[in-house]
Amino acid sequence: MTPLNALMRRQLTAINQQFIHVLALQAWKDEEIMEPIRVFDLIDVHTSMSILDHLARAGQPILLPAQEIAPGHDRVSILRAEQAMEESINALVAASGGLPDHDVELVRAVAAPRPSYQAWLSDRLAEEESVPLAQEPMEPALAAYCAHLLALTEQAMVHAFVQFHAGENAAADRAWSLSGRAMMDMMALVHHLARQGRSPQPRSFPAVKVKAASAPAEEADRALAGLVAAAGLSAAEESSDERLARIIAKAVRTYQAVTTWQEGQAFPPDRFNPKAFASFAASREEALAGY
């Protein structure tokens, strides 16, 4: 895996963690901590998308190996989790020497805003209580469901870039729609758990398979949607929280429909997604503005 791919992959993990943290803090009405993380998340989205677009446009292989993730569940643990993620990204930036000029520019774009964010994290941690609150471990089936949702978000999103640059706009729109659906289902999950004073603990999510051709890419996305559905069924069955089980079961029905989708049919997530996930080309243009 190239240094640029490795950096992009870790940034996507950082974005997933920031996404969870922002949603949880938003539910807790803790804007003091939430807003700086939200702003930095938008920066990371822009820079990671610019790297991903560059790799896909150049036809370079894109690898998404398994990653560890440990989101926080209160102010202190969230700040510490963000700080740990920053340390891992700094290490990748430091190890990315000897790259072509354009790749160097992309790495610099990732590195440039980080010192101010890291300084804010250090300052906030110095002001907080040193010991985070304890949280009960998440049920294994629910943690697995969260992990597979995150994996589908990433895999389908990467396929949208690959398919777009291959001229497969309809396939890119479907992949983007599926990525968006997984993101929205993760959002519903985080909001529900946050209202109970909890947060997701996926810990790790599996390596995903990025395909260079449209048909294998869609097949891989449908296969992963099937794994999400299976993980969701297990999580819903094992949950003692009836509302949570209903939230998951509703999502599962969409992923089951994706696994049986055929060309010419309406793509299942399109019926439920916000308009932001309707056109990949439009979303890509907005995400890459200024890069």
Side-chain angles (χ1 to χ4, degrees):
M1 183 165 58
T2 66
L4 195 60
N5 190 148
L7 180 58
M8 181 274 296
R9 200 280 161 271
R10 193 58 179 165
Q11 262 200 294
L12 293 183
T13 306
I15 291 167
N16 282 324
Q17 181 172 280
Q18 292 158 2
F19 175 72
I20 291 171
H21 288 162
V22 167
L23 291 174
L25 289 163
Q26 188 179 58
W28 300 332
K29 302 187 185 306
D30 191 342
E31 293 192 7
E32 181 184 13
I33 302 296
M34 182 273 288
E35 185 59 18
I37 298 176
R38 186 192 69 81
V39 170
F40 198 73
D41 176 63
L42 293 176
I43 294 171
D44 265 351
V45 167
H46 280 295
T47 53
S48 64
M49 294 300 173
S50 65
I51 295 175
L52 179 53
D53 190 70
H54 167 67
L55 295 174
R57 185 173 61 249
Q60 296 185 30
I62 300 174
L63 302 177
L64 294 177
Q67 288 271 284
E68 295 296 317
I69 183 171
H73 58 275
D74 67 351
R75 287 168 67 103
V76 175
S77 61
I78 284 173
L79 292 167
R80 287 182 179 175
E82 288 294 307
Q83 193 174 61
M85 187 67 72
E86 286 301 297
E87 290 173 358
S88 70
I89 290 178
N90 284 342
L92 290 170
V93 168
S96 61
L99 298 175
D101 289 346
H102 186 267
D103 290 11
V104 170
E105 291 178 11
L106 291 169
V107 173
R108 286 175 179 166
V110 173
R114 310 207 90 82
S116 60
Y117 183 57
Q118 292 156 12
W120 174 78
L121 289 169
S122 296
D123 290 344
R124 289 303 314 168
L125 275 167
E127 297 174 7
E128 297 291 332
E129 295 292 334
S130 60
V131 180
L133 297 173
Q135 179 177 238
E136 290 294 322
M138 176 168 280
E139 304 91 314
L142 184 55
Y145 175 61
C146 293
H148 281 83
L149 274 177
L150 292 175
L152 183 58
T153 300
E154 291 188 344
Q155 178 175 292
M157 177 188 66
V158 172
H159 278 151
F161 276 92
V162 172
Q163 290 161 333
F164 173 82
H165 285 292
E168 300 282 355
N169 289 338
D173 286 348
R174 287 192 291 271
W176 185 238
S177 174
L178 184 56
S179 177
R181 186 66 260 153
M183 185 186 301
M184 297 304 294
D185 288 330
M186 191 69 186
M187 181 183 295
L189 197 63
V190 175
H191 277 157
H192 178 79
L193 293 172
R195 285 192 287 268
Q196 300 174 341
R198 307 170 67 198
S199 68
Q201 297 177 317
R203 296 305 174 194
S204 64
F205 42 101
V208 298
K209 300 175 181 178
V210 178
K211 304 294 184 181
S214 185
E218 293 207 87
E219 183 179 346
D221 286 347
R222 288 198 297 272
L224 185 51
L227 294 178
V228 172
L233 284 174
S234 295
E237 289 172 359
E238 294 183 16
S239 178
S240 59
D241 182 337
E242 292 184 4
R243 179 168 174 75
L244 177 62
R246 288 197 299 271
I247 290 172
I248 296 172
K250 180 179 178 182
V252 162
R253 288 193 289 273
T254 299
Y255 299 115
Q256 289 173 328
V258 168
T259 65
T260 59
W261 175 84
Q262 294 181 353
E263 191 76 39
Q265 297 177 340
F267 196 56
D270 293 346
R271 294 182 296 149
F272 306 107
N273 272 353
K275 291 182 178 179
F277 297 105
S279 167
F280 175 72
S283 296
R284 171 185 171 274
E285 183 176 353
E286 181 178 352
L288 298 180
Y291 289 89

